[in-house]
Amino acid sequence: MDSTMKDAPPEGKGAVPVTKDVGNAEAEKFKDEANKHFGKKEYKLAIDSYSKAIEMDPNVAPYFGNRSFAYLRTEMFGAALQDATSAITLDPSYIKGYYRRAAAYMGLTKFKLALRDLEAVVKVRPNDADAKLKHQECKKIVQRLAFEKAIAVDEVKVCVSSTISVDEIDVETSYTGPRLKDDKLVTKEFLVDLLETFKRREKLHRKYAYQILLDIKAYFEKQPSLVSVNIPPESKFTVCGDIHGQFYDLVNIFSLNGLPSETNPYLFNGDFVDRGSFSVECIFTLFGFKLLLPDHFFLARGNHETETMNQMYGFEGEVKAKYSDQMAHLFTEVYNYLPLCHLLNDKVLVMHGGLFSKDDVTLDDIRKVDRNRQPPEEGLMCELLWSDPQPERGRAPSKRGVGIQFGPDVTDNFLRHNDLSYVIRSHEVKPEGYEVAHDGKCITIFSAPNYCDTMGNKGAFITMNGRDLNPSFVSYDAVPHPDVKPMAYANRLMSLFT
């Protein structure tokens, strides 16, 4: 295999066909159009054009392989998996199909299945260094997981938080960053200093980092899975979506909209970390403001506040690089206690992902969810973190491979059943940073502009007042950041595919 096989772009005009039927001219036209969109990173437009090519000629493996690649770029791992499998079914010798399917399996953290596809590639291309490297890295993950399972015992696992004594950690005289005082309370001055420290690319001392984590864990342990938020009639309230480790864009939100305060409350709706390489700075900023303003600053769990996602997409690696393994495990404990959603003035429900695979789910059902765990692959907790809206009525399997897709009728029924006005969710990149769907009853907000330095999208946040809860949207562009690429701390195997 030549070097172009390493995450090669979609097959373009003039590529050697791998199926006997190269399709008709109209299908090739749509394929070429899709390739141009892909080259411009217009992945959703590329998916639409590849789909038209497939409609014209459903017997060409690269059409499915190309669309699979575009789905991977938009993190629709379930759809990418299905297309890669279709490509392989059409042409078992289509090597890119195995690459695409392996990447999709990894996105779904199904490493054994990914390894099986990479083994197929290595068998056909034994001298391909790139394939061998990916195979070896995937094999290491599978072996590590098997080892961890083998040594696991039924005894109660000791909490990392119980093993940490902050008082025994000394602060070196050379440390010039912010310090928590003897009462250990976070102050506004501490946080302003912390932001400036992070801008200079300096670290918060581990003593204070541990203190913040222990304090925030103790706070979240006492919170319900569904948090009720009261917004006074004339008060402003801001809702932000995914941040994904883009610290300098987080600081820009505060520049545009003001620092959090009792008169300027915020809700950040999950996916604070991963992918972006300043996740540590983001999470300590957010946790610090939560401790300063517990009744005016709110945080919800996203699908990336989970152990397996953090292991693959960079947060765990970043914490280990900047602090320690112990702290990475402590973060996992803290994330398990993050609330799952928020209810604004009893009328607007805010969750990271979306709605449910069954009817008649109530707010009380959500309140009863036991969230102190890693999310399961189905059920209310999973769907709150993973589901997405669709324009069609009804429900459909998720293109992500986890959760579901839900239509406007599902949204209507849920709102009516629970006497709600609309829902806000995040979880999806949108060109303007937001999208209003389902006749205004399902709003998506995404606050990481130019996501992963590749998507070209704007970020956005929502502002409203407590009187009518009518949403207003502010979109903004990405700001410059230091020359550290996204996924810099990601698992080696995942970075090989991205």
Side-chain angles (χ1 to χ4, degrees):
M1 187 187 311
D2 61 29
S3 61
T4 61
M5 187 56 70
K6 182 179 180 182
D7 263 359
E11 287 85 351
K13 188 173 182 180
V16 177
V18 295
T19 57
K20 294 181 180 179
D21 182 3
V22 296
N24 57 47
E26 194 70 16
E28 284 291 294
K29 174 184 173 183
F30 283 121
K31 184 261 296 188
D32 292 341
E33 179 183 278
N35 288 352
K36 291 177 182 178
H37 286 307
F38 192 100
K40 296 177 182 178
K41 301 176 183 177
E42 299 168 344
Y43 299 120
K44 292 189 177 181
L45 293 175
I47 288 168
D48 291 340
S49 294
Y50 287 135
S51 298
K52 292 175 182 176
I54 290 169
E55 290 175 10
M56 292 290 176
D57 190 344
N59 299 308
V60 182
Y63 294 173
F64 287 96
N66 289 356
R67 191 171 69 176
S68 177
F69 200 9
Y71 275 131
L72 287 171
R73 291 297 195 199
T74 57
E75 302 179 21
M76 298 299 180
F77 298 119
L81 175 62
Q82 185 175 0
D83 272 359
T85 300
S86 295
I88 293 167
T89 300
L90 285 169
D91 184 357
S93 68
Y94 181 55
I95 297 300
K96 285 188 179 181
Y98 294 94
Y99 267 108
R100 304 289 184 256
R101 193 163 70 178
Y105 277 135
M106 284 190 298
L108 295 168
T109 66
K110 298 182 183 296
F111 303 111
K112 285 185 178 180
L113 295 174
L115 180 61
R116 186 180 66 184
D117 280 337
L118 292 173
E119 286 172 344
V121 174
V122 171
K123 184 177 180 180
V124 174
R125 306 283 189 176
N127 297 320
D128 184 338
D130 178 60
K132 288 168 66 175
L133 178 60
K134 290 176 178 176
H135 174 263
Q136 290 168 359
E137 291 298 322
C138 189
K139 189 174 182 179
K140 289 178 184 178
I141 293 177
V142 172
Q143 290 174 337
R144 176 178 59 79
L145 292 174
F147 175 74
E148 290 174 354
K149 183 177 180 180
I151 65 173
V153 294
D154 293 331
E155 298 175 5
V156 176
K157 187 176 180 180
V158 176
C159 290
V160 174
S161 57
S162 67
T163 68
I164 298 169
S165 178
V166 174
D167 292 337
E168 295 179 3
I169 302 176
D170 294 326
V171 180
E172 300 80 6
T173 56
S174 59
Y175 175 70
T176 59
R179 296 171 181 256
L180 293 173
K181 306 302 181 183
D182 291 338
D183 58 12
K184 301 176 182 177
L185 293 177
V186 171
T187 64
K188 180 179 179 181
E189 291 72 24
F190 173 89
L191 289 173
V192 170
D193 194 1
L194 182 66
L195 289 174
E196 293 304 315
T197 298
F198 286 157
K199 289 178 189 178
R200 297 192 302 268
R201 299 190 62 190
E202 297 173 6
K203 292 194 305 182
L204 175 67
H205 195 280
R206 66 189 185 96
K207 179 185 183 75
Y208 307 125
Y210 274 119
Q211 188 63 61
I212 286 174
L213 289 176
L214 294 175
D215 288 350
I216 203 73
K217 179 175 182 285
Y219 178 86
F220 281 134
E221 284 176 347
K222 301 175 183 177
Q223 297 301 294
S225 293
L226 170 58
V227 175
S228 293
V229 179
N230 177 54
I231 308 171
E234 301 307 319
S235 293
K236 170 188 169 186
F237 191 83
T238 301
V239 180
C240 298
D242 303 42
I243 297 299
H244 275 300
Q246 298 184 198
F247 171 73
Y248 295 87
D249 294 307
L250 171 61
V251 172
N252 187 44
I253 292 173
F254 295 151
S255 297
L256 295 171
N257 195 54
L259 282 175
S261 68
E262 291 186 358
T263 57
N264 193 27
Y266 281 81
L267 164 58
F268 282 83
N269 196 31
D271 281 12
F272 320 124
V273 300
D274 276 339
R275 295 194 177 273
S277 295
F278 303 95
S279 292
V280 164
E281 290 80 359
C282 285
I283 198 63
F284 280 124
T285 297
L286 296 173
F287 280 173
F289 275 111
K290 180 61 182 175
L291 290 173
L292 177 67
L293 303 162
D295 298 323
H296 300 88
F297 193 87
F298 303 93
L299 300 172
R301 191 175 190 175
N303 64 299
H304 276 266
E305 279 70 57
T306 55
E307 187 173 23
T308 54
M309 301 299 278
N310 292 166
Q311 289 171 348
M312 294 305 298
Y313 290 98
F315 182 63
E316 181 181 284
E318 184 180 343
V319 176
K320 289 180 178 180
K322 294 178 179 179
Y323 290 99
S324 66
D325 288 7
Q326 181 190 52
M327 187 176 289
H329 290 302
L330 179 55
F331 268 110
T332 297
E333 290 183 6
V334 173
Y335 289 160
N336 282 353
Y337 284 104
L338 279 167
L340 299 179
C341 45
H342 292 77
L343 181 61
L344 311 182
N345 284 5
D346 295 323
K347 282 298 182 181
V348 177
L349 187 68
V350 188
M351 79 291 285
H352 180 74
L355 299 181
F356 310 103
S357 57
K358 63 179 183 179
D359 293 324
D360 301 330
V361 173
T362 67
L363 298 180
D364 280 340
D365 292 330
I366 297 173
R367 291 185 179 98
K368 294 174 184 176
V369 172
D370 177 15
R371 71 185 188 282
N372 180 23
R373 54 178 171 157
Q374 291 302 299
E377 294 188 0
E378 59 183 11
L380 298 188
M381 183 175 179
C382 169
E383 290 159 0
L384 283 167
L385 299 180
W386 280 97
S387 291
D388 297 295
Q390 65 178 17
E392 301 83 10
R393 291 175 61 83
R395 296 178 173 91
S398 172
K399 291 181 179 179
R400 297 178 187 269
V402 187
I404 65 156
Q405 294 181 188
F406 58 96
D409 55 323
V410 175
T411 300
D412 283 340
N413 290 337
F414 177 79
L415 296 176
R416 186 166 50 251
H417 189 60
N418 290 281
D419 193 24
L420 299 172
S421 299
Y422 62 94
V423 297
I424 298 174
R425 39 91 60 185
S426 301
H427 197 39
E428 286 185 281
V429 180
K430 298 298 178 182
E432 296 300 315
Y434 70 94
E435 181 181 75
V436 180
H438 297 182
D439 297 321
K441 297 177 182 178
C442 181
I443 296 173
T444 297
I445 191 72
F446 191 88
S447 301
N450 195 24
Y451 179 47
C452 290
D453 287 356
T454 61
M455 297 300 288
N457 62 290
K458 292 180 181 293
F461 54 82
I462 299 170
T463 61
M464 63 182 75
N465 62 56
R467 183 180 62 259
D468 53 29
L469 301 177
N470 287 336
S472 297
F473 304 94
V474 177
S475 293
Y476 50 89
D477 293 316
V479 297
H481 63 74
D483 189 19
V484 182
K485 294 181 179 180
M487 302 285 283
Y489 300 95
N491 181 279
R492 179 176 169 83
L493 179 61
M494 189 59 70
S495 63
L496 286 173
F497 275 89
T498 55

